[in-house]
Every structure is written in structure tokens, then in C-alpha cells.
Amino acid sequence: MYTDYLKLLLVILLETTGFYTLMQYPTLFVFIIYLFSHFTASLLLATMVAWILKTFYKYPYRHASILSFFILFFLGPFAVLIGVISVLIYTKISKVPARVKEVNYEIVFSVRVLSEKRRLGEGSLRFAKVEDLQRVLYFTKFYHPLTVRFFKELLFSDNDELRLLANSYLKNAEKYLQELIYELEKVLEGQDLGKDVKFFVCRALAFLNWDIYYLGFMEEQIAKKYLDNAKEYVLKALEIKEDPSLYMLMGRMELSSGDYQRAHEHFKRALDLGMEPVKVLPYLLEALYKLRNFKELKQVSEKYRGTYSVNPKRMALISAWV
């Protein structure tokens, strides 16, 4: 964050001092110096604008940075200053997510999945031949159904350290979500909550309950209670205000429950309310596929061609049916 502010300060200094000097001494030499400072300021600012475009609108970083640079450079100093103000306001209001390290695929692929003899009558997987604890510790950074499944399988490991690590991960992750739900439910019991606060709390509870169900910490029958709770909180939030992310969430819940028609309706409503197509399309296309509605599946794919990132599920559907 401080690095970004320093960049913006440097951009302002380069642009304002260069422009002021040019106005005071309008010579060819000063003009060349100004072009250099304007070039540097535009380049620095373009890297920040490109990051925002990549984060929020899924534009390729390289293309966004080139486009941003040319716009800022050729529109002159006022474009740069407006760009600085826009970046400051946008990052403050929109809360741009912190940059994270890229996934270390060498570690991910070093853990091999081998089939194992049946346990309790069911086929199972076991993550075997883990060379060191570091590779397993890497997976504790993520909350995902596959990660939860990974650590559930490690509970049966012969390695005591791995077994204890898996147990710690599963307990702490579930406890963290449970505590958040408990605290928000206490807030919801308050008597003087305004509509905005109540909407925010219900929305957060809907997503937290869905996370517990989706991540797969518990058996299906027990987890279904959290799915029902999530639906209940979504409905309470929608009574206060329509929100595209809630329709998106409801669509995913109906999709997991097998009600593909209602899932399709919720995804369409999320799009109508302004949800980013890149987030909705993989699930909408899956619902259409389950409904055997290949005509609409093709229409939707053609309508939003080029607006979504590559998604394995979506690509498989399109390549097979369109």
C-alpha cells in the first residue's frame, strides 16, 4: 500500500515539475526533458491502472498496461493528474484485494495421488510419498473443497506429523467459520439494527453458512443444515435489498441441490442486476446443460463471447455441445 502511494507521489512530482518548468522556459531542450518526465509518469501510473483493470474487470495485465500508457501519454498532463485522482478514489472505495503470490505449481504437483485399497466399502484416495512437511504446509494457505478433502485423507496417514497437521487444519478452519457465524448471529439479535446493518449481517451469514457446506467439513446430512441456513439468510437479505451476489449464491445453492430450473432463474437475475458475466457464466452454462437446453446454452455463449476468462467447466460444455 505504501509503495503505491509513493508511486503516485512520484507521478505527481514528475508531471507537475516537468509541466511547470516547460511553462517557465519554453525551449526545445526543456520540452525534451518534459517528454521524458511525462513518459516516466505515464508508465508508472499505467502499471497501477492496469492492476485495477486486471483485478476488477479481468483484463489481461499486459494489454491493460499498454492501453493505459498510451492513453495517459498522448492525452497529456491533465490525463495523468485525473488518472492519479481516479486511482486514489477507486482503490479507497473499492478496496482492491491485496496482491498475492502466484501458486507454486512445483509444490502442488510434487504431491502424488495414488489409489489405495478400499476403506469401509468405498473407493478412496491417499496422498502418498510426501517428501517433506513443507509441501503439505503449503496447502494450509487455501480454503477449498479439494484442500479440505486433501487434509481429510491425511488423517489416515502413517506419518504422525502429517496426521496432526491435518487435524489442526480441519479443526481450526471449521472453528474460525463457526465463531464468525456465532458473533454475527449475536449482532443480528440486536433490537436497534438499521436496514443497512441487518442486510450486511444477513448477507455475511448466508455466505459463511454456504462456505461450511461447500468446503465439505462435515458429512452431507449434517452439512445440509448449513445449506438451509444459508438459503434462509439470503431470503432475509433480499427482503431488504436486491443484490446480484445473493442471487448468484442462491443459484449455486440450487445447483448443488439439483434444482436446475431455479438455479437458471437465479443466475439470469444476477446477470440482469449487473453481476459480472465472468463469475456467472460457468454456473449458468452448467445449469443449462443439466436442463438439456442446448439452444440457450449456445445463445448465451455467443452473447458473452470474449467477456469471460478460460474456465475448464465452461470450455468442456462448449466444446461438447456448441
Side-chain angles (χ1 to χ4, degrees):
M1 180 61 70
Y2 292 111
T3 304
D4 293 338
Y5 287 141
L6 287 174
K7 282 184 179 180
L8 289 176
L9 181 60
L10 182 58
V11 168
I12 294 171
L13 288 174
L14 286 170
E15 196 63 41
T16 54
T17 55
F19 185 73
Y20 176 79
T21 305
L22 180 61
M23 292 296 98
Q24 293 294 317
Y25 308 99
T27 63
L28 179 60
F29 178 72
V30 174
F31 178 70
I32 293 173
I33 294 176
Y34 166 70
L35 282 181
F36 178 76
S37 65
H38 178 59
F39 175 89
T40 307
S42 300
L43 186 61
L44 283 173
L45 186 59
T47 60
M48 304 183 71
V49 173
W51 176 254
I52 293 174
L53 293 175
K54 179 180 182 296
T55 302
F56 286 96
Y57 304 108
K58 311 304 178 184
Y59 291 163
Y61 181 79
R62 181 182 175 185
H63 297 165
S65 58
I66 294 173
L67 176 63
S68 302
F69 169 74
F70 278 105
I71 291 175
L72 293 168
F73 183 77
F74 287 107
L75 290 183
F78 294 105
V80 172
L81 294 178
I82 291 173
V84 169
I85 295 171
S86 300
V87 169
L88 283 171
I89 295 175
Y90 203 63
T91 53
K92 191 68 175 178
I93 295 176
S94 302
K95 296 181 180 178
V96 177
R99 305 181 189 187
V100 296
K101 295 181 179 179
E102 296 294 331
V103 174
N104 189 334
Y105 290 103
E106 291 184 2
I107 293 180
V108 173
F109 292 126
S110 68
V111 182
R112 294 189 293 163
V113 183
L114 303 177
S115 61
E116 190 187 48
K117 63 181 181 180
R118 288 181 178 269
R119 183 168 61 242
L120 301 178
E122 296 293 336
S124 62
L125 294 175
R126 178 178 178 180
F127 288 80
K129 297 185 178 179
V130 181
E131 295 181 4
D132 56 62
L133 196 58
Q134 176 193 359
R135 297 179 179 180
V136 180
L137 283 171
Y138 182 78
F139 286 86
T140 62
K141 300 178 181 180
F142 307 103
Y143 289 103
H144 189 275
L146 290 177
T147 313
V148 173
R149 181 184 174 189
F150 170 70
F151 282 105
K152 280 187 174 181
E153 291 298 330
L154 281 184
L155 291 175
F156 297 92
S157 171
D158 295 331
N159 186 313
D160 292 339
E161 290 181 333
L162 294 180
R163 191 167 61 251
L164 290 172
L165 175 63
N167 186 62
S168 174
Y169 170 86
L170 293 171
K171 283 190 174 181
N172 289 334
E174 184 181 346
K175 180 183 177 183
Y176 173 71
L177 292 174
Q178 294 278 15
E179 288 178 347
L180 285 176
I181 290 174
Y182 175 74
E183 292 297 328
L184 287 176
E185 285 178 341
K186 285 176 61 178
V187 172
L188 199 59
E189 294 173 359
Q191 300 298 319
D192 301 323
L193 291 181
K195 284 187 176 181
D196 290 339
V197 175
K198 186 175 180 181
F199 169 80
F200 172 80
V201 174
C202 288
R203 181 180 181 277
L205 283 168
F207 278 96
L208 287 170
N209 279 277
W210 163 253
D211 284 342
I212 289 184
Y213 173 82
Y214 174 70
L215 291 172
F217 288 112
M218 307 169 186
E219 298 299 324
E220 182 68 23
Q221 292 183 346
I222 301 175
K224 190 178 182 303
K225 180 189 74 170
Y226 292 93
L227 181 63
D228 294 337
N229 289 343
K231 290 181 179 180
E232 180 182 343
Y233 285 119
V234 166
L235 295 176
K236 287 182 178 179
L238 288 175
E239 288 177 359
I240 303 171
K241 181 173 66 175
E242 284 198 314
D243 183 276
S245 65
L246 290 174
Y247 281 103
M248 173 70 179
L249 177 59
M250 183 64 85
R252 292 188 65 185
M253 290 190 288
E254 298 294 359
L255 197 62
S256 68
S257 300
D259 193 337
Y260 306 121
Q261 184 58 47
R262 293 190 67 184
H264 169 254
E265 294 170 0
H266 290 309
F267 292 139
K268 293 284 287 184
R269 184 60 179 157
L271 283 174
D272 292 340
L273 289 174
M275 192 76 179
E276 299 93 324
V278 69
K279 295 181 179 179
V280 183
L281 284 177
Y283 303 103
L284 174 58
L285 293 172
E286 183 180 0
L288 290 170
Y289 169 73
K290 295 290 187 179
L291 291 169
R292 317 294 289 178
N293 189 346
F294 304 122
K295 180 180 179 180
E296 186 176 349
L297 191 152
K298 182 176 181 180
Q299 291 173 347
V300 170
S301 179
E302 290 295 332
K303 178 179 179 181
Y304 293 101
R305 182 181 295 276
T307 62
Y308 38 74
S309 59
V310 175
N311 180 283
K313 184 180 293 184
R314 180 259 164 200
M315 296 300 293
L317 290 172
I318 297 303
S319 61
W321 297 104
V322 178

PDB file of all heavy atoms in Angstrom, residues 17-36:
ATOM      1  N   THR A  17       6.293  19.148 -11.903  1.00  0.00           N
ATOM      2  CA  THR A  17       7.558  19.878 -12.061  1.00  0.00           C
ATOM      3  C   THR A  17       7.950  20.003 -13.530  1.00  0.00           C
ATOM      4  O   THR A  17       8.424  21.057 -13.976  1.00  0.00           O
ATOM      5  CB  THR A  17       8.684  19.184 -11.278  1.00  0.00           C
ATOM      6  OG1 THR A  17       8.779  17.811 -11.694  1.00  0.00           O
ATOM      7  CG2 THR A  17       8.435  19.240  -9.800  1.00  0.00           C
ATOM      8  N   GLY A  18       7.741  18.922 -14.286  1.00  0.00           N
ATOM      9  CA  GLY A  18       8.068  18.974 -15.706  1.00  0.00           C
ATOM     10  C   GLY A  18       7.209  19.980 -16.448  1.00  0.00           C
ATOM     11  O   GLY A  18       7.710  20.767 -17.268  1.00  0.00           O
ATOM     12  N   PHE A  19       5.914  19.966 -16.167  1.00  0.00           N
ATOM     13  CA  PHE A  19       4.996  20.886 -16.848  1.00  0.00           C
ATOM     14  C   PHE A  19       5.277  22.340 -16.434  1.00  0.00           C
ATOM     15  O   PHE A  19       5.271  23.251 -17.275  1.00  0.00           O
ATOM     16  CB  PHE A  19       3.551  20.506 -16.518  1.00  0.00           C
ATOM     17  CG  PHE A  19       2.529  21.321 -17.254  1.00  0.00           C
ATOM     18  CD1 PHE A  19       2.305  21.115 -18.610  1.00  0.00           C
ATOM     19  CD2 PHE A  19       1.783  22.289 -16.593  1.00  0.00           C
ATOM     20  CE1 PHE A  19       1.366  21.865 -19.291  1.00  0.00           C
ATOM     21  CE2 PHE A  19       0.844  23.038 -17.271  1.00  0.00           C
ATOM     22  CZ  PHE A  19       0.630  22.825 -18.628  1.00  0.00           C
ATOM     23  N   TYR A  20       5.524  22.556 -15.153  1.00  0.00           N
ATOM     24  CA  TYR A  20       5.800  23.911 -14.668  1.00  0.00           C
ATOM     25  C   TYR A  20       7.088  24.464 -15.296  1.00  0.00           C
ATOM     26  O   TYR A  20       7.152  25.629 -15.726  1.00  0.00           O
ATOM     27  CB  TYR A  20       5.931  23.900 -13.150  1.00  0.00           C
ATOM     28  CG  TYR A  20       6.305  25.246 -12.561  1.00  0.00           C
ATOM     29  CD1 TYR A  20       5.349  26.250 -12.400  1.00  0.00           C
ATOM     30  CD2 TYR A  20       7.622  25.505 -12.177  1.00  0.00           C
ATOM     31  CE1 TYR A  20       5.702  27.492 -11.874  1.00  0.00           C
ATOM     32  CE2 TYR A  20       7.976  26.740 -11.645  1.00  0.00           C
ATOM     33  CZ  TYR A  20       7.014  27.728 -11.499  1.00  0.00           C
ATOM     34  OH  TYR A  20       7.360  28.956 -10.985  1.00  0.00           O
ATOM     35  N   THR A  21       8.121  23.624 -15.364  1.00  0.00           N
ATOM     36  CA  THR A  21       9.389  24.054 -15.965  1.00  0.00           C
ATOM     37  C   THR A  21       9.205  24.403 -17.439  1.00  0.00           C
ATOM     38  O   THR A  21       9.776  25.388 -17.938  1.00  0.00           O
ATOM     39  CB  THR A  21      10.447  22.944 -15.820  1.00  0.00           C
ATOM     40  OG1 THR A  21      10.569  22.573 -14.446  1.00  0.00           O
ATOM     41  CG2 THR A  21      11.796  23.411 -16.338  1.00  0.00           C
ATOM     42  N   LEU A  22       8.400  23.599 -18.141  1.00  0.00           N
ATOM     43  CA  LEU A  22       8.150  23.873 -19.554  1.00  0.00           C
ATOM     44  C   LEU A  22       7.430  25.201 -19.743  1.00  0.00           C
ATOM     45  O   LEU A  22       7.722  25.951 -20.692  1.00  0.00           O
ATOM     46  CB  LEU A  22       7.321  22.730 -20.160  1.00  0.00           C
ATOM     47  CG  LEU A  22       6.977  22.866 -21.646  1.00  0.00           C
ATOM     48  CD1 LEU A  22       8.253  22.905 -22.494  1.00  0.00           C
ATOM     49  CD2 LEU A  22       6.085  21.721 -22.088  1.00  0.00           C
ATOM     50  N   MET A  23       6.493  25.507 -18.852  1.00  0.00           N
ATOM     51  CA  MET A  23       5.770  26.770 -18.952  1.00  0.00           C
ATOM     52  C   MET A  23       6.687  27.967 -18.677  1.00  0.00           C
ATOM     53  O   MET A  23       6.541  29.036 -19.269  1.00  0.00           O
ATOM     54  CB  MET A  23       4.596  26.776 -17.963  1.00  0.00           C
ATOM     55  CG  MET A  23       3.476  25.792 -18.299  1.00  0.00           C
ATOM     56  SD  MET A  23       2.629  26.130 -19.855  1.00  0.00           S
ATOM     57  CE  MET A  23       3.467  24.965 -20.961  1.00  0.00           C
ATOM     58  N   GLN A  24       7.665  27.794 -17.772  1.00  0.00           N
ATOM     59  CA  GLN A  24       8.572  28.872 -17.425  1.00  0.00           C
ATOM     60  C   GLN A  24       9.669  29.075 -18.477  1.00  0.00           C
ATOM     61  O   GLN A  24      10.068  30.209 -18.765  1.00  0.00           O
ATOM     62  CB  GLN A  24       9.212  28.591 -16.058  1.00  0.00           C
ATOM     63  CG  GLN A  24       8.232  28.625 -14.901  1.00  0.00           C
ATOM     64  CD  GLN A  24       7.661  30.019 -14.670  1.00  0.00           C
ATOM     65  OE1 GLN A  24       8.382  31.028 -14.707  1.00  0.00           O
ATOM     66  NE2 GLN A  24       6.349  30.077 -14.441  1.00  0.00           N
ATOM     67  N   TYR A  25      10.145  27.947 -19.029  1.00  0.00           N
ATOM     68  CA  TYR A  25      11.246  28.016 -20.003  1.00  0.00           C
ATOM     69  C   TYR A  25      10.867  27.196 -21.239  1.00  0.00           C
ATOM     70  O   TYR A  25      11.291  26.050 -21.388  1.00  0.00           O
ATOM     71  CB  TYR A  25      12.538  27.473 -19.392  1.00  0.00           C
ATOM     72  CG  TYR A  25      12.880  28.103 -18.061  1.00  0.00           C
ATOM     73  CD1 TYR A  25      12.575  27.440 -16.864  1.00  0.00           C
ATOM     74  CD2 TYR A  25      13.486  29.358 -18.004  1.00  0.00           C
ATOM     75  CE1 TYR A  25      12.881  28.023 -15.652  1.00  0.00           C
ATOM     76  CE2 TYR A  25      13.786  29.936 -16.783  1.00  0.00           C
ATOM     77  CZ  TYR A  25      13.485  29.273 -15.613  1.00  0.00           C
ATOM     78  OH  TYR A  25      13.782  29.854 -14.406  1.00  0.00           O
ATOM     79  N   PRO A  26      10.073  27.777 -22.135  1.00  0.00           N
ATOM     80  CA  PRO A  26       9.589  27.036 -23.323  1.00  0.00           C
ATOM     81  C   PRO A  26      10.663  26.896 -24.404  1.00  0.00           C
ATOM     82  O   PRO A  26      10.588  27.516 -25.473  1.00  0.00           O
ATOM     83  CB  PRO A  26       8.415  27.890 -23.788  1.00  0.00           C
ATOM     84  CG  PRO A  26       8.739  29.276 -23.340  1.00  0.00           C
ATOM     85  CD  PRO A  26       9.493  29.141 -22.069  1.00  0.00           C
ATOM     86  N   THR A  27      11.678  26.082 -24.112  1.00  0.00           N
ATOM     87  CA  THR A  27      12.732  25.822 -25.100  1.00  0.00           C
ATOM     88  C   THR A  27      12.665  24.370 -25.540  1.00  0.00           C
ATOM     89  O   THR A  27      12.025  23.527 -24.885  1.00  0.00           O
ATOM     90  CB  THR A  27      14.114  26.109 -24.492  1.00  0.00           C
ATOM     91  OG1 THR A  27      14.346  25.206 -23.400  1.00  0.00           O
ATOM     92  CG2 THR A  27      14.201  27.545 -23.990  1.00  0.00           C
ATOM     93  N   LEU A  28      13.362  24.053 -26.631  1.00  0.00           N
ATOM     94  CA  LEU A  28      13.366  22.684 -27.150  1.00  0.00           C
ATOM     95  C   LEU A  28      13.977  21.712 -26.154  1.00  0.00           C
ATOM     96  O   LEU A  28      13.480  20.599 -25.949  1.00  0.00           O
ATOM     97  CB  LEU A  28      14.135  22.629 -28.476  1.00  0.00           C
ATOM     98  CG  LEU A  28      14.242  21.240 -29.135  1.00  0.00           C
ATOM     99  CD1 LEU A  28      12.859  20.694 -29.448  1.00  0.00           C
ATOM    100  CD2 LEU A  28      15.108  21.307 -30.379  1.00  0.00           C
ATOM    101  N   PHE A  29      15.061  22.128 -25.502  1.00  0.00           N
ATOM    102  CA  PHE A  29      15.728  21.249 -24.537  1.00  0.00           C
ATOM    103  C   PHE A  29      14.807  20.923 -23.353  1.00  0.00           C
ATOM    104  O   PHE A  29      14.699  19.770 -22.925  1.00  0.00           O
ATOM    105  CB  PHE A  29      17.005  21.926 -24.042  1.00  0.00           C
ATOM    106  CG  PHE A  29      17.741  21.121 -22.993  1.00  0.00           C
ATOM    107  CD1 PHE A  29      18.418  19.962 -23.338  1.00  0.00           C
ATOM    108  CD2 PHE A  29      17.726  21.524 -21.664  1.00  0.00           C
ATOM    109  CE1 PHE A  29      19.084  19.224 -22.374  1.00  0.00           C
ATOM    110  CE2 PHE A  29      18.397  20.790 -20.704  1.00  0.00           C
ATOM    111  CZ  PHE A  29      19.074  19.637 -21.063  1.00  0.00           C
ATOM    112  N   VAL A  30      14.128  21.958 -22.828  1.00  0.00           N
ATOM    113  CA  VAL A  30      13.200  21.745 -21.703  1.00  0.00           C
ATOM    114  C   VAL A  30      12.027  20.886 -22.140  1.00  0.00           C
ATOM    115  O   VAL A  30      11.529  20.046 -21.377  1.00  0.00           O
ATOM    116  CB  VAL A  30      12.711  23.100 -21.151  1.00  0.00           C
ATOM    117  CG1 VAL A  30      11.639  22.890 -20.084  1.00  0.00           C
ATOM    118  CG2 VAL A  30      13.873  23.882 -20.568  1.00  0.00           C
ATOM    119  N   PHE A  31      11.588  21.067 -23.392  1.00  0.00           N
ATOM    120  CA  PHE A  31      10.473  20.247 -23.904  1.00  0.00           C
ATOM    121  C   PHE A  31      10.861  18.772 -23.950  1.00  0.00           C
ATOM    122  O   PHE A  31      10.065  17.893 -23.605  1.00  0.00           O
ATOM    123  CB  PHE A  31      10.085  20.733 -25.293  1.00  0.00           C
ATOM    124  CG  PHE A  31       8.983  19.923 -25.919  1.00  0.00           C
ATOM    125  CD1 PHE A  31       7.675  19.987 -25.433  1.00  0.00           C
ATOM    126  CD2 PHE A  31       9.253  19.072 -26.984  1.00  0.00           C
ATOM    127  CE1 PHE A  31       6.668  19.227 -25.999  1.00  0.00           C
ATOM    128  CE2 PHE A  31       8.247  18.303 -27.547  1.00  0.00           C
ATOM    129  CZ  PHE A  31       6.943  18.382 -27.056  1.00  0.00           C
ATOM    130  N   ILE A  32      12.109  18.484 -24.350  1.00  0.00           N
ATOM    131  CA  ILE A  32      12.569  17.085 -24.389  1.00  0.00           C
ATOM    132  C   ILE A  32      12.625  16.511 -22.968  1.00  0.00           C
ATOM    133  O   ILE A  32      12.234  15.356 -22.731  1.00  0.00           O
ATOM    134  CB  ILE A  32      13.953  17.007 -25.068  1.00  0.00           C
ATOM    135  CG1 ILE A  32      13.825  17.380 -26.547  1.00  0.00           C
ATOM    136  CG2 ILE A  32      14.538  15.602 -24.919  1.00  0.00           C
ATOM    137  CD1 ILE A  32      15.156  17.500 -27.265  1.00  0.00           C
ATOM    138  N   ILE A  33      13.104  17.321 -22.011  1.00  0.00           N
ATOM    139  CA  ILE A  33      13.142  16.868 -20.614  1.00  0.00           C
ATOM    140  C   ILE A  33      11.732  16.593 -20.109  1.00  0.00           C
ATOM    141  O   ILE A  33      11.473  15.594 -19.415  1.00  0.00           O
ATOM    142  CB  ILE A  33      13.843  17.923 -19.725  1.00  0.00           C
ATOM    143  CG1 ILE A  33      15.312  18.041 -20.101  1.00  0.00           C
ATOM    144  CG2 ILE A  33      13.696  17.563 -18.244  1.00  0.00           C
ATOM    145  CD1 ILE A  33      16.065  19.118 -19.344  1.00  0.00           C
ATOM    146  N   TYR A  34      10.793  17.493 -20.478  1.00  0.00           N
ATOM    147  CA  TYR A  34       9.408  17.295 -20.049  1.00  0.00           C
ATOM    148  C   TYR A  34       8.833  16.004 -20.632  1.00  0.00           C
ATOM    149  O   TYR A  34       8.134  15.251 -19.937  1.00  0.00           O
ATOM    150  CB  TYR A  34       8.533  18.467 -20.466  1.00  0.00           C
ATOM    151  CG  TYR A  34       7.067  18.146 -20.350  1.00  0.00           C
ATOM    152  CD1 TYR A  34       6.466  17.998 -19.099  1.00  0.00           C
ATOM    153  CD2 TYR A  34       6.302  17.930 -21.484  1.00  0.00           C
ATOM    154  CE1 TYR A  34       5.136  17.655 -18.981  1.00  0.00           C
ATOM    155  CE2 TYR A  34       4.960  17.583 -21.377  1.00  0.00           C
ATOM    156  CZ  TYR A  34       4.377  17.449 -20.127  1.00  0.00           C
ATOM    157  OH  TYR A  34       3.062  17.099 -20.022  1.00  0.00           O
ATOM    158  N   LEU A  35       9.124  15.736 -21.906  1.00  0.00           N
ATOM    159  CA  LEU A  35       8.629  14.497 -22.522  1.00  0.00           C
ATOM    160  C   LEU A  35       9.130  13.265 -21.770  1.00  0.00           C
ATOM    161  O   LEU A  35       8.382  12.298 -21.568  1.00  0.00           O
ATOM    162  CB  LEU A  35       9.060  14.422 -23.989  1.00  0.00           C
ATOM    163  CG  LEU A  35       8.268  15.251 -24.991  1.00  0.00           C
ATOM    164  CD1 LEU A  35       8.811  15.038 -26.400  1.00  0.00           C
ATOM    165  CD2 LEU A  35       6.778  14.900 -24.940  1.00  0.00           C
ATOM    166  N   PHE A  36      10.390  13.319 -21.346  1.00  0.00           N
ATOM    167  CA  PHE A  36      10.945  12.185 -20.596  1.00  0.00           C
ATOM    168  C   PHE A  36      10.234  12.018 -19.252  1.00  0.00           C
ATOM    169  O   PHE A  36       9.875  10.895 -18.863  1.00  0.00           O
ATOM    170  CB  PHE A  36      12.447  12.385 -20.376  1.00  0.00           C
ATOM    171  CG  PHE A  36      13.082  11.300 -19.571  1.00  0.00           C
ATOM    172  CD1 PHE A  36      13.350  10.059 -20.134  1.00  0.00           C
ATOM    173  CD2 PHE A  36      13.394  11.501 -18.231  1.00  0.00           C
ATOM    174  CE1 PHE A  36      13.921   9.051 -19.380  1.00  0.00           C
ATOM    175  CE2 PHE A  36      13.973  10.497 -17.473  1.00  0.00           C
ATOM    176  CZ  PHE A  36      14.233   9.265 -18.059  1.00  0.00           C
TER     177      PHE A  36
END
